[in-house]
Amino acid sequence: MNVLNLKHVSTAPWGSTLLEDICVDLDGGEILGIIGPNGAGKTSLLQTLAGDYATTAGSIRFLGEDIANWRGLNRAQSMAVLPQLSLLNFPYTIEEVIMLGRTPHSTGARADRVIMDEVMRATDTKRLQGRVYTQLSGGEKQRVQLARVFAQIWPDTSSQSRLLLLDEPTAALDLSHQQLMIHTLKELANKGCAIVMVAHDFNLIAAVADKILALKEGRQMAYGGASEVLTKDIFARVFAVDVTVSTHPDTGRPLVISL
């Protein structure tokens, strides 16, 4: 099922254009990786998809309907967003933070507790039970925030497709927890969730993404599979850097090596 469709999308929330002529198509079960230098418009695109910015041209359709027509509650039941920076300074327990992800749903306390237990296992936050969020390390906070957004779109008895928007989800995560997150994302995708992820780790993107969008100065520079986008030529044009692109010996996907 087609979950997300962008046709020639542009946005200029403060007058100057942030995004121009973006075209993307994403089905349930697919992962889209977004790459680009600082200021390329990656976060702006996620904010546009989340409804923070209105489009000035083009169209965005979410589950077949203009995204502007989605009411807040209905949108929150089908879409979850992990921002680049999650500011939370109130001394909630980690369980209370994670359960915020269940707020849009009416699945009942028992079902919500089951989901909370599952997402805590998926993010290795069970060991943090009872801890106060503000007393956690940066990496621990990131895992709790991931658990929160996972809880919001966690598979249940609903047949509705879900969309997960992630801005730098591996920030502050150590290697083992990066691998755990990748495993969880693949599991969510296998259950029909569409995922859009911004990351500066090109090899992470290469490992998980079905499609990759490269942005520069708000414009779409490349869009396609990993082998089409992660090339020496595109790195030179988008990032103005010289890299070696090899093939991963186990996955066969591109392996980017910085010189």
Side-chain angles (χ1 to χ4, degrees), residues 107-158:
T107 44
R110 180 178 298 177
D112 288 347
R113 283 196 297 270
V114 171
I115 290 173
M116 181 174 70
D117 183 73
E118 291 175 351
V119 299
M120 289 176 75
R121 293 183 188 281
T123 54
D124 189 31
T125 50
K126 286 286 289 183
R127 68 179 70 183
L128 303 176
Q129 278 185 301
R131 296 273 302 276
V132 174
Y133 178 82
T134 53
Q135 297 174 356
L136 301 179
S137 71
E140 289 170 335
K141 287 179 179 178
Q142 184 74 346
R143 281 155 45 210
V144 171
Q145 291 294 341
L146 282 165
R148 175 184 61 79
V149 295
F150 289 162
Q152 190 173 339
I153 49 82
W154 201 248
D156 56 20
T157 56
S158 169

Side-chain angles (χ1 to χ4, degrees), residues 4-19:
L4 191 64
N5 180 265
L6 282 70
K7 289 186 177 179
H8 307 292
V9 168
S10 299
T11 185
W14 304 297
S16 59
T17 299
L18 291 181
L19 298 167

